[in-house]
Amino acid sequence: MSHTRRISRFALVGVLIAALYIVLYLAFLHVGMPRGAANVAAFGLAIAAQYGGQAAFTFQKDLADPAQMLRFGVMVGCGLVTSCLITGLVAPTLALDDWFAAAAVAVILPVQNFVLMTLWVFSHPST
């Protein structure tokens, strides 16, 4: 698969997952879930869907690969660390507005995730 096609598929899955998260979060709020619980539930389901979409559609890998799932989980944790560093350390240190910090996270995380998925998460043969 060409690099351009893989990036296009990665972006499509990313947009669909972002939309799924929004729909789920708002639906959970609508049925009376507290915000924190709605966020965790929507985030967890979106991450599971992201794994499936990126593994099967973007990288054409087997979904039932425990080592791959673990690498994906570590990648998600790296994303959390990156977003915390940007919003909690870099932005305040540089006196950046919250909207700028959030936008930086929205731009940096997909790039970080694509690199990690390409070079590590989905680079190994399925077990």
Side-chain angles (χ1 to χ4, degrees):
M1 174 183 313
S2 75
H3 197 63
T4 302
R5 185 174 173 123
R6 180 165 284 162
I7 290 172
S8 297
R9 286 178 172 222
F10 175 83
L12 175 62
V13 171
V15 168
L16 292 173
I17 295 306
L20 175 65
Y21 166 80
I22 292 167
V23 168
L24 289 172
Y25 177 69
L26 294 174
F28 291 148
L29 289 177
H30 183 73
V31 298
M33 272 184 142
R35 279 186 175 87
N39 178 54
V40 169
F43 184 82
L45 290 169
I47 290 296
Q50 180 188 24
Y51 173 76
Q54 297 296 11
F57 182 67
T58 304
F59 293 92
Q60 300 170 337
K61 296 290 186 172
D62 183 20
L63 297 178
D65 182 336
Q68 180 176 278
M69 288 179 200
L70 178 61
R71 291 190 300 272
F72 185 85
V74 170
M75 181 204 70
V76 170
C78 289
L80 177 60
V81 168
T82 297
S83 67
C84 289
L85 286 172
I86 292 169
T87 60
L89 180 66
V90 174
T93 300
L94 299 176
L96 301 173
D97 290 334
D98 290 334
W99 71 265
F100 188 85
V105 169
V107 169
I108 291 168
L109 279 188
V111 173
Q112 175 180 304
N113 285 348
F114 184 78
V115 169
L116 287 174
M117 285 183 199
T118 300
L119 299 178
W120 184 55
V121 174
F122 297 117
S123 68
H124 305 288
S126 295
T127 57

